Amino acid sequence: MYKYLLRPVLFLFDPEKVHYFIFGAVKFLDKIGFSKIFKSIYLVEDKRLERNLFGIDFKNPVGLAAGFDKNAKLYNQLSDFGFGFIEIGTLTPKPQDGNPKKRLFRLKDDKAIINRMGFNNLGVLEAVEQLKKEHRVIIGGNIGKNKITPNDKAILDYTICFDSLFDHVDYFVVNVSSPNTPGLRELQDKEPLTKLLNKLKAQNTKLAIKKNVKEKPILLKIAPDLTDDQLLDIITIVADTKIEGIIASNTTISREGLKSHQLLQEEKGGLSGAPLKNRSTEVIRFLSEKSNKAFPIIGVGGINTAEDALEKLDAGADLVQLWTGFIYEGPALVKKINKALLERS
Ligand SMILES: Cc1cc2nc3c(=O)[nH]c(=O)nc-3n(C[C@H](O)[C@H](O)[C@H](O)COP(=O)(O)O)c2cc1C
């Protein structure tokens, strides 16, 4: 129904407006009791789908990627579409508007999106208020820095977000790979990245001892545009800093092989969806093989079919996430992936 009835109508309107409209609609439907209906349609529950990674029990390995529910407003309702985990954020210490609109573009001929949102979010404290509600699903907290914060002060921004979210999320994601915050991706270089992750690890230990709880898993989200040498550095950094894993990947700055109109291709920002699929899978395979499967990987980028998800898992991913595929294929995609996993288990 989504692909043939709802999507053609939604795609007539501005993508960002549609996003907020969908949020309102899902919230309303939840209020009038649709949660059970959505769950009965989309949720696949089976022991064979369960995964235990970095000390967390996931009901299934299909998650919603960061940037969809940036302000943690809809995580419970979104979990009704069958997701095993929802990643909120990217959050920054202070609220910020992000880049001027228009900043989100559909490349329909490529089943892709270009976005230059620029970490628009209501700030970490507003998200904390939202997260005080009961959680029906595993929540990842994706953290970043404010645009006005220079890179040499970035550690403080990440630490503020980490401290604020510590009691409210199940795992953390350190986002240094968005192409839409000027200079952010320089934090992926070996020295600043090691410093940042060491600081967050130390903060993790400190908070866990103080609160007498377990430490939270910390994952790093990387860009698909890193070179092999940079990826080898990432493997060393994971080993040195002892973070729990990697999310590969964020959006790409490449525009290779697109069919869409040249003017659309030239929009600045990160490209996601089908054209990103092979590169993100390649990054997953490289990290998995070169590290000898030393750490868990969450695979994300261009998953539009169950086969795309299986390909990522076969390349070395332990869990997968969706974003653009969820827009193009609708919630049925989550169910299709879980069903395909059951068929081959
Ligand atoms: C509109 C939009 C906003 C996004 N915002 C974020 C974000 O705030 N933080 C982040 O780590 N990734 C963000 N992403 C990247 C996605 O989480 C994902 O890594 C990427 O889109 C590749 O997956 P996909 O091809 O399934 O979309 C965003 C993606 C899109 C399309």
Side-chain angles (χ1 to χ4, degrees), residues 3 107-113 272-275 304 324 328-329:
K3 251 172 100 173
L107 281 70
K108 287 186 239 174
D109 294 342
D110 292 298
K111 284 204 169 181
I113 289 176
S272 59
N304 268 294
T324 307
Y328 278 91
E329 305 301 318

Side-chain angles (χ1 to χ4, degrees), residues 12-216:
L12 293 174
F13 299 95
D14 173 73
E16 194 168 345
K17 289 201 176 116
V18 169
H19 192 78
Y20 296 120
F21 169 77
I22 290 288
F23 262 57
V26 171
K27 218 169 205 168
F28 171 74
L29 290 171
D30 178 62
K31 276 211 178 96
I32 61 168
F34 264 68
S35 170
K36 273 195 192 129
I37 299 173
F38 287 142
K39 270 196 217 157
S40 71
I41 300 172
Y42 298 112
L43 193 62
V44 187
E45 285 181 295
D46 194 298
K47 276 243 159 264
R48 289 170 295 166
L49 292 174
E50 292 174 8
R51 301 285 186 275
N52 181 280
L53 281 162
F54 29 84
I56 296 177
D57 290 320
F58 293 85
K59 291 245 163 72
N60 72 63
V62 187
L64 181 64
F68 198 95
D69 187 12
K70 284 180 189 273
N71 298 304
K73 287 197 164 176
L74 207 66
Y75 52 89
N76 280 333
Q77 291 88 339
L78 287 167
S79 75
D80 294 339
F81 294 111
F83 290 109
F85 58 112
I86 307 275
E87 198 170 299
I88 55 126
T90 296
L91 289 159
T92 57
K94 295 192 196 87
Q96 60 179 30
D97 291 337
N99 289 320
K101 291 172 185 166
K102 190 177 175 192
R103 53 193 181 178
L104 183 58
F105 307 86
R106 293 185 200 102
L107 281 70
K108 287 186 239 174
D109 294 342
D110 292 298
K111 284 204 169 181
I113 289 176
I114 290 178
N115 94 81
R116 51 168 178 271
M117 305 300 286
F119 290 171
N120 56 311
N121 76 105
L122 300 173
V124 71
L125 295 182
E126 179 64 33
V128 165
E129 285 310 306
Q130 299 290 336
L131 289 162
K132 285 179 182 166
K133 284 179 288 197
E134 172 216 10
H135 300 183
R136 311 203 291 246
V137 64
I138 299 293
I139 308 276
N142 183 308
I143 57 177
K145 72 164 193 80
N146 280 110
K147 184 178 177 183
I148 54 161
T149 307
N151 272 5
D152 61 353
K153 303 266 182 334
I155 288 188
L156 184 59
D157 273 17
Y158 285 90
T159 311
I160 292 170
C161 292
F162 190 87
D163 289 357
S164 310
L165 288 171
F166 187 86
D167 292 334
H168 305 283
V169 297
D170 299 294
Y171 69 89
F172 278 97
V173 180
V174 181
N175 182 6
V176 283
S177 49
S178 164
N180 300 316
T181 296
L184 186 86
R185 287 157 48 123
E186 288 159 23
L187 294 173
Q188 288 176 122
D189 290 347
K190 198 168 179 179
E191 202 197 310
L193 187 54
T194 306
K195 256 195 199 157
L196 170 62
L197 295 176
N198 277 335
K199 167 69 189 174
L200 293 178
K201 271 300 237 185
Q203 196 69 7
N204 203 7
T205 310
K206 197 169 114 187
L207 290 178
I209 291 173
K210 189 172 148 200
K211 293 168 188 277
N212 198 18
V213 293
K214 275 204 273 183
E215 292 184 15
K216 302 276 165 155

Side-chain angles (χ1 to χ4, degrees), residues 11 34 119 138 259 264 295 318:
F11 273 24
F34 264 68
F119 290 171
I138 299 293
K259 298 192 277 281
L264 261 178
F295 46 82
D318 300 274

